[in-house]
């Protein structure tokens, strides 16, 4: 169509034309969303595991240091110590598959009515893999209403459908470890994961069967609710429950994370137990880093979790750039006028 013909289109028809172009553009954007996100997506500082993998060829390190205090009112002992957390995550073979190593090493001093013991050993050494078996946004093409902003942004009941993943791993701590049972050995850890995204809220649930192949089976639940306050800051609250013949308790956590860059994040959290057998209190700080230089985009249909937020961020960046460009033009014009005025004098 020639420019002359375009000028003959009346205003209402031009509006429809613009909306159709916008609609086609949005649909094209929908097809490029995979599990990889523009910014690091870490499990810290909570203890739950997200359903989504880091992405094929992505390597991620999540580490931290914590302090712990325990006071058992029945056995009359107190424990004070520090520990190191390390999670190594790598996406390989499939976009939905992730291999994970979770390591925790602790140094502490336990004191009772008779003895004082200095201890140090692995509290956790687990290697496993996670696979996303269902993503409600994959192959989903939302119907865009060309005439109603409200209709496009209303709550959709399908948002209640979670992404679902499964995890299987092996606990490699041996029987001589000071933090486990004398008869303990290599055992299985199984987990089902659900993941919901409600705009700036994320709700993750882990259903855990730990030491599955031993008589010390432990069932657990971790439920984490995270809220993004702005592109850099987020906060979370979390509840964790354990149930076994040896130990049962509930732990609550709260904390915050700050995004330093697209590949780095720092965090802090504090936790406490419900029971006093023992009373548990610990807090920590951490750092996460992602290496994604080898990543190649994977084309998947469906709307990404953070697409609306991403589009809004891009809009703000464009407005900021336009404003800066306009200010530069004004300064340049003022400088030109000042130069002309000086030359005239």
């Amino acid at each position: 169509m020639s420019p002359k013909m375009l000028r003959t289109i009346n205003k209402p028809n031009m509006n429809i034309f613009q909306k159709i172009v916008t609609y086609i553009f949005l649909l094209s954007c929908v097809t490029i969303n995979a599990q990889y996100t523009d910014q690091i997506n870490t499990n810290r500082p909570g203890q739950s595991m997200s359903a989504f993998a880091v992405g094929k060829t992505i390597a991620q390190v999540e580490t931290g240091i914590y302090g712990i205090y325990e006071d058992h009112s029945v056995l009359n002992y107190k424990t004070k110590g520090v520990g190191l957390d390390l999670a190594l995550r790598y996406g390989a073979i499939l976009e939905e598959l992730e291999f994970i190593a979770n390591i925790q090493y602790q140094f502490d001093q336990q004191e009772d009515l008779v003895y004082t013991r200095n201890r140090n050993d692995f509290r956790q050494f687990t290697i496993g893999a996670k696979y996303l078996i269902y993503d409600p946004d994959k192959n989903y093409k939302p119907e865009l209403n060309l005439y109603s902003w409200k209709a496009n942004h209303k709550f959709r009941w399908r948002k209640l459908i979670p992404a679902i993943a499964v995890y299987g791993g092996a606990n490699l701590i041996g029987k001589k470890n000071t933090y486990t049972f004398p008869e303990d050995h290599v055992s299985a850890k199984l987990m089902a994961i659900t993941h919901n995204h409600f705009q700036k809220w994320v709700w993750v649930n882990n259903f855990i069967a730990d030491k599955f192949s031993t008589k010390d089976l432990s069932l657990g639940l971790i439920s984490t609710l995270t809220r993004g306050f702005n592109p850099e800051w987020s906060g979370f609250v979390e509840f964790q429950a354990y149930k076994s013949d040896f130990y049962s308790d509930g732990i609550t956590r709260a904390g915050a994370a700050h995004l330093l860059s697209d590949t780095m994040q720092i965090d802090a959290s504090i936790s406490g137990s419900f029971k006093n057998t023992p009373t548990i209190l610990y807090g920590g700080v951490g750092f996460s880093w992602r290496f994604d230089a080898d990543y190649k985009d994977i084309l998947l249909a469906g709307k990404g979790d953070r697409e609306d937020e991403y589009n809004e961020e891009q809009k703000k960046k464009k407005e900021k750039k336009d404003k800066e460009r306009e200010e530069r033009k004004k300064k340049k014009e003022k400088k030109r006028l000042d130069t002309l005025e000086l030359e005239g004098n």
Side-chain angles (χ1 to χ4, degrees):
M1 186 180 291
S2 68
K4 183 176 180 181
M5 293 176 65
L6 281 174
R7 285 197 294 270
T8 64
I9 300 176
N10 59 32
K11 187 174 181 180
N13 288 336
M14 178 59 78
N15 287 338
I16 293 175
F17 177 79
Q18 291 172 340
K19 289 175 180 177
I20 292 173
V21 171
T22 303
Y23 178 67
I24 294 172
F25 173 76
L26 288 173
L27 284 182
S28 67
C29 290
V30 161
T31 64
I32 63 173
N33 285 281
Q35 294 203 257
Y36 175 83
T37 57
D38 291 328
Q39 295 174 339
I40 185 172
N41 187 5
T42 171
N43 291 324
R44 291 192 61 89
Q47 293 297 309
S48 64
M49 188 180 293
S50 165
F52 293 95
V54 291
K56 189 177 177 181
T57 74
I58 302 296
Q60 194 158 301
V61 178
E62 303 171 9
T63 186
I65 184 171
Y66 64 89
I68 185 168
Y69 172 78
E70 296 182 11
D71 187 350
H72 203 297
S73 62
V74 176
L75 299 180
N76 293 315
Y77 72 77
K78 294 181 180 180
T79 303
K80 299 177 183 178
V82 296
L84 300 172
D85 284 318
L86 176 64
L88 303 175
R89 303 171 62 185
Y90 184 72
I93 305 175
L94 301 171
E95 187 72 13
E96 301 86 359
L97 181 63
E98 174 180 309
F99 296 93
I100 311 163
N102 288 298
I103 303 167
Q104 187 180 71
Y105 198 92
Q106 184 167 307
F107 304 82
D108 64 36
Q109 183 179 82
Q110 187 178 76
E111 181 180 354
D112 57 28
L113 297 177
V114 180
Y115 300 103
T116 298
R117 304 175 185 86
N118 293 314
R119 309 181 301 176
N120 65 91
D121 211 329
F122 288 99
R123 292 212 67 160
Q124 182 182 19
F125 199 119
T126 306
I127 296 177
K130 177 181 66 178
Y131 181 73
L132 179 73
I133 60 175
Y134 176 70
D135 180 359
D137 288 331
K138 187 176 181 179
N139 300 321
Y140 170 63
K141 296 181 179 180
E143 295 181 3
L144 191 66
N145 190 318
L146 300 180
Y147 304 98
S148 173
W149 181 93
K150 184 178 181 181
N152 291 327
H153 290 79
K154 70 179 182 180
F155 177 80
R156 291 181 172 85
W157 287 103
R158 75 179 315 277
K159 282 287 186 181
L160 297 177
I161 303 173
I164 301 173
V166 291
Y167 168 88
N171 298 302
L172 303 181
I173 293 178
K175 61 178 65 178
K176 294 183 179 181
N177 188 290
T178 186
Y179 297 112
T180 189
F181 309 103
E183 66 276 10
D184 203 2
H185 54 79
V186 174
S187 60
K189 181 175 183 178
L190 304 176
M191 186 188 312
I193 305 166
T194 64
H195 186 127
N196 292 88
H197 192 105
F198 308 106
Q199 295 183 342
K200 293 186 177 182
W201 294 89
V202 176
W203 185 30
V204 175
N205 290 284
N206 293 177
F207 305 91
I208 307 164
D210 200 5
K211 299 186 182 297
F212 189 75
S213 55
T214 73
K215 64 179 183 180
D216 302 310
L217 172 66
S218 175
L219 301 178
L221 164 70
I222 308 177
S223 185
T224 309
L225 187 64
T226 304
R227 171 69 156 83
F229 301 114
N230 56 47
E232 288 81 32
W233 284 97
S234 63
F236 85 101
V237 291
E238 182 175 273
F239 172 74
Q240 181 171 6
Y242 307 87
K243 176 65 177 177
S244 70
D245 293 338
F246 176 75
Y247 175 67
S248 299
D249 201 352
I251 306 289
T252 56
R253 296 185 184 90
H258 177 64
L259 194 69
L260 296 175
S261 69
D262 287 345
T263 59
M264 290 186 288
Q265 175 189 287
I266 56 174
D267 62 75
S269 64
I270 188 169
S271 309
S273 63
F274 282 90
K275 298 172 65 174
N276 60 0
T277 53
T279 298
I280 300 175
L281 178 65
Y282 60 96
V285 294
F287 172 78
S288 300
W289 174 76
R290 179 177 73 176
F291 177 78
D292 57 4
D294 296 330
Y295 183 78
K296 295 181 180 179
D297 287 334
I298 305 295
L299 302 183
L300 293 176
K303 187 173 182 179
D305 282 347
R306 297 187 63 253
E307 185 172 326
D308 291 337
E309 294 176 41
Y310 174 78
N311 291 337
E312 187 66 26
E313 290 172 12
Q314 295 303 307
K315 181 181 177 182
K316 290 180 180 178
K317 288 180 181 179
K318 184 179 182 302
E319 291 174 350
K320 183 179 179 181
K321 288 182 180 179
D322 291 342
K323 185 177 179 181
E324 291 173 350
R325 189 182 300 112
E326 189 65 28
E327 289 176 353
R328 286 195 298 269
K329 286 182 180 179
K330 289 180 180 179
K331 289 180 180 180
K332 188 176 181 180
E333 181 65 18
K334 185 177 183 302
K335 185 177 180 180
R336 186 183 70 83
L337 293 174
D338 290 342
T339 302
L340 290 174
E341 185 178 349
L342 289 172
E343 291 176 352
N345 294 333

